Amino acid sequence: MQTASVPGFVRTILIIIGIYYAFKILARFLMPILLRKMVQKAEQNFKQHTNYQNQAGNHSTTQNTSSTFEKPKAKKQVGEYIDYEEVD
């Protein structure tokens, strides 16, 4: 069984701190690039989606114009409304 030594512990702590700061420095340079790529991909997907909707919308609007402007159905009236007043 091995025993822990103070120099080994300090070395481990320094390695952990070094990895942490290396990650922070790399993230500072890589995150803007990754975010820019994500935004471009989302914009591309949005444009494709809107183009698809525009193409599909041109065909469906001529056929279903009367169904989109229908009046809402009236609710069935159940009973009579009675306004109660308090009597002193």
Side-chain angles (χ1 to χ4, degrees):
M1 184 170 170
Q2 295 180 352
T3 59
S5 63
V6 174
F9 177 72
V10 172
R11 182 175 162 225
T12 304
I13 296 297
L14 289 176
I15 290 173
I16 291 171
I17 292 172
I19 291 172
Y20 171 74
Y21 280 109
F23 181 75
K24 276 183 70 171
I25 292 170
L26 286 174
R28 182 171 288 173
F29 292 113
L30 295 178
M31 287 303 285
I33 296 169
L34 292 174
L35 288 174
R36 191 175 310 124
K37 287 188 181 218
M38 286 175 42
V39 168
Q40 288 174 350
K41 183 71 172 177
E43 182 179 350
Q44 184 181 29
N45 287 341
F46 178 75
K47 284 181 181 178
Q48 288 177 353
H49 185 70
T50 55
N51 286 341
Y52 175 75
Q53 281 184 342
N54 288 340
Q55 291 172 357
N58 290 339
H59 299 296
S60 64
T61 54
T62 57
Q63 297 170 357
N64 297 329
T65 54
S66 62
S67 65
T68 57
F69 296 110
E70 291 180 8
K71 294 181 182 178
K73 295 181 180 178
K75 292 183 181 179
K76 186 176 180 181
Q77 188 175 2
V78 181
E80 183 179 324
Y81 178 75
I82 301 174
D83 188 20
Y84 291 98
E85 295 182 14
E86 286 187 32
V87 178
D88 290 328

